[in-house]
């Protein structure tokens, strides 16, 4: 396109200057990002939040014809549909994922989607820098998850609560909610990390009555924290999420085809040592 022709005409020195300028602009946007309000109380995940996961597959599927902010995103695993939107004048993206995965077990889907593979996660998910359960408060795990962002962006750190619940019908619901004021829990973020203060994920996974597939519903909200250009956020939405879901599907197939312990019935989650 025209951009590529201009860059080629500039020569190596000119292209290097453009890249450095872009890096400086991105870092400036990150450093000038407004702080998220800290007035929200950090409360345990409630039974009502868990129960609300059941509506993802029925009442929360977006319709772009009704709300033009939503757009369907292609490139996900077979049988899955993805919708995304970017909130106006922010770096906040919202996604809804629904559909079914075949030839996988319910246990492998839950273990993979909810980040319970602490020892092997980095082997198949290169975006994971660190994933660790810090401890437990009531029914909630307290988790630290550091994800890699491409240069020149800083890596993101998530400190969140996560609660899993198995319903009478065998479906598994999960709520993950960031701890906005995480300093008293883990101290300040280290190095050049950007700590996320607005993140929530709700999900439900259940085996179809005939056992042919696992039905999945996922609603995900994430403020990447930074006054980034909208096209950058849209690039992450169009490329990053479908790629991530395909990685999850591939990992579920591996777990379901082996005697890996995560393919067995889920044990109770115990406090971290």
């Amino acid at each position: 396109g025209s951009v590529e022709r201009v860059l080629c005409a500039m020569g190596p020195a000119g292209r290097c200057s453009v890249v450095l300028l872009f890096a400086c602009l991105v870092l400036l946007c990150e450093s000038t990002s407004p702080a998220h309000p800290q007035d929200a109380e950090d409360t345990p995940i409630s039974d009502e939040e868990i129960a609300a996961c059941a509506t993802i597959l029925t009442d929360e599927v977006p319709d772009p014809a009704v709300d033009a902010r939503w757009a369907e995103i292609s490139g996900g695993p077979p049988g899955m549909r993805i919708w995304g939107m970017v909130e106006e004048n922010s770096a906040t993206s919202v996604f809804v994922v629904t559909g079914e995965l075949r030839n996988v077990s319910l246990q492998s889907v839950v273990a993979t989607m909810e980040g319970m593979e602490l020892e092997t996660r980095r082997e198949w998910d290169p975006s994971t820098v660190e994933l660790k359960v810090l401890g437990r408060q009531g029914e909630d795990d307290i988790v630290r998850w550091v994800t890699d962002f491409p240069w020149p962006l800083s890596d993101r750190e998530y400190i969140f609560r996560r609660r899993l619940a198995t319903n009478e019908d065998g479906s598994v619901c999960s709520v993950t909610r960031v701890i906005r004021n995480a300093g008293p829990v883990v101290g300040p973020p280290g190095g050049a990390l950007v700590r996320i203060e607005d993140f929530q994920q709700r999900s439900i996974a259940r085996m179809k009555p005939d056992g042919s597939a696992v039905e999945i519903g996922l609603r995900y909200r994430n403020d990447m924290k930074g006054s980034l250009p909208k096209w950058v956020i849209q690039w992450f939405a169009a490329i990053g999420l479908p790629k991530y879901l395909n990685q999850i599907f591939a990992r579920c197939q591996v777990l379901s085809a082996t005697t890996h312990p995560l393919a067995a019935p889920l044990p109770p989650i115990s406090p971290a040592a």
Side-chain angles (χ1 to χ4, degrees):
S2 58
V3 174
E4 289 81 357
R5 289 195 296 270
V6 170
L7 290 175
C8 290
M10 294 177 71
R15 290 195 295 270
C16 182
S17 298
V18 171
V19 171
L20 290 175
L21 176 60
F22 173 73
C24 291
L25 288 173
V26 170
L27 293 174
L28 178 62
C29 288
E30 287 192 325
S31 64
T32 57
S33 173
H36 195 283
Q38 296 294 325
D39 54 358
E41 184 180 2
D42 174 41
T43 57
I45 295 171
S46 66
D47 293 343
E48 290 74 18
E49 289 178 271
I50 291 291
C53 294
T55 65
I56 300 173
L57 286 168
T58 54
D59 302 334
E60 299 184 42
V61 177
D63 185 352
V66 176
D67 187 345
R69 296 176 302 168
W70 289 95
E72 189 161 2
I73 301 170
S74 61
M80 302 297 293
R81 299 183 69 183
I82 310 168
W83 295 267
M85 65 168 284
V86 178
E87 294 185 353
E88 194 69 27
N89 299 320
S90 77
T92 302
S93 52
V94 184
F95 301 100
V96 173
V97 180
T98 65
E100 58 185 44
L101 296 178
R102 295 183 175 273
N103 303 314
V104 297
S105 68
L106 175 62
Q107 290 76 22
S108 70
V109 170
V110 174
T112 308
M113 287 185 60
E114 299 306 326
M116 295 170 63
E117 287 193 280
L118 302 180
E119 300 299 327
T120 59
R121 182 83 186 193
R122 294 181 65 182
E123 296 177 7
W124 62 270
D125 179 9
S127 69
T128 295
V129 177
E130 181 178 342
L131 176 59
K132 182 179 182 181
V133 177
L134 302 176
R136 189 173 179 117
Q137 293 181 358
E139 296 184 79
D140 300 351
D141 286 326
I142 308 300
V143 181
R144 179 175 188 260
W145 199 330
V146 180
T147 61
D148 175 66
F149 269 51
W151 183 90
L153 301 175
S154 300
D155 291 348
R156 263 52 177 175
E157 178 191 47
Y158 298 78
I159 309 295
F160 56 79
R161 293 179 173 273
R162 178 186 63 198
R163 178 180 169 187
L164 291 171
T166 302
N167 301 315
E168 293 183 359
D169 63 358
S171 62
V172 180
C173 292
S174 173
V175 174
T176 297
R177 177 168 20 95
V178 78
I179 300 175
R180 288 178 176 169
N181 186 19
V185 180
V186 296
L193 293 176
V194 173
R195 181 169 290 169
I196 298 301
E197 298 175 347
D198 185 355
F199 169 76
Q200 185 181 82
Q201 176 175 300
R202 298 162 46 235
S203 67
I204 181 170
R206 63 192 183 196
M207 186 65 70
K208 294 187 70 172
D210 61 4
S212 62
V214 177
E215 293 181 301
I216 296 173
L218 171 72
R219 188 179 181 97
Y220 170 100
R221 172 191 168 90
N222 185 20
D223 182 350
M224 293 191 293
K225 199 173 183 182
S227 302
L228 303 177
K230 190 172 183 179
W231 68 264
V232 174
I233 303 170
Q234 291 174 331
W235 182 88
F236 279 116
I239 304 297
L241 182 61
K243 179 179 178 181
Y244 177 64
L245 291 173
N246 278 293
Q247 289 174 326
I248 285 181
F249 179 46
R251 184 60 181 171
C252 289
Q253 290 179 309
V254 171
L255 294 183
S256 300
T258 67
T259 56
H260 192 288
L262 289 178
L266 291 172
I269 301 174
S270 58

